[in-house]
């Protein structure tokens, strides 16, 4: 039986996108969302976040999504936490790279805020 998804550590550098996704995940999905504006913020928040899932933007200044994931994997709290990437770069080769990094799935941007929670819940339920 799958453990329920309740807490998401979400990393997105774009404030408007971060706000819309956070509101959608909380209001529509009922998730607890720990929203971070950068990879470094995620690294600082991760030890206390008790996240069930990492939701990472790919293209961010400084530490991009894949670099953030590598750094999060080095922390005991997030070493094995499932991850989903969100990006506008969804060519087959790019998606293969993200899945090769261990992503459960890649959600294309722009996303539908009303569908985002259901999409993530489906990915979560299908992961086993």
């Amino acid at each position: 039986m799958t453990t329920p998804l309740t807490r998401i550590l979400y990393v997105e550098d774009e404030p408007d996108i971060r706000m819309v996704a956070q509101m959608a995940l909380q209001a529509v999905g009922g998730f607890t969302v720990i929203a971070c504006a950068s990879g470094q913020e995620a690294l600082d928040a991760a030890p206390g976040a008790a996240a069930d899932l990492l939701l990472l933007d790919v293209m961010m200044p400084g530490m991009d999504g894949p670099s953030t994931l590598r750094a999060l994997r080095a922390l005991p709290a997030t070493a094995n936490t499932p991850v989903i990437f969100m990006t506008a770069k969804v060519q087959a080769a790019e998606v293969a790279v993200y899945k090769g990094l261990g992503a459960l799935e890649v959600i294309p941007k722009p996303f539908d805020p009303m569908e985002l929670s259901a999409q993530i819940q489906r990915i979560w339920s299908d992961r086993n």
Side-chain angles (χ1 to χ4, degrees), residues 19-67:
M19 185 188 68
V20 167
Q22 182 175 7
M23 284 179 12
L25 291 168
Q26 290 173 331
V28 179
F31 299 115
T32 299
V33 179
I34 301 92
C36 301
S38 68
Q40 186 55 57
E41 245 184 68
L43 291 175
D44 295 341
D52 301 312
L53 177 72
L54 306 172
L55 183 58
L56 305 178
D57 181 22
V58 170
M59 294 180 290
M60 298 185 287
M63 208 185 308
D64 67 2
S67 301

Side-chain angles (χ1 to χ4, degrees), residues 81-102:
T81 307
V83 63
I84 297 172
F85 281 114
M86 289 178 72
T87 182
K89 293 183 150 209
V90 288
Q91 296 299 321
E94 293 161 329
V95 170
V97 168
Y98 307 138
K99 287 194 170 184
L101 294 172

Side-chain angles (χ1 to χ4, degrees), residues 5 7-9 46-47 49-56 69 72-84 101-104 124 127:
L5 172 59
R7 297 177 65 81
I8 299 172
L9 180 64
D52 301 312
L53 177 72
L54 306 172
L55 183 58
L56 305 178
L69 178 60
L72 287 167
R73 288 291 183 240
L75 300 175
T78 48
N80 298 304
T81 307
V83 63
I84 297 172
L101 294 172
L104 295 175
W124 181 259
R127 77 188 196 288

Side-chain angles (χ1 to χ4, degrees), residues 9-26:
L9 180 64
Y10 173 48
V11 188
E12 167 63 62
D13 64 303
E14 192 60 50
D16 293 345
I17 296 172
R18 188 172 59 248
M19 185 188 68
V20 167
Q22 182 175 7
M23 284 179 12
L25 291 168
Q26 290 173 331

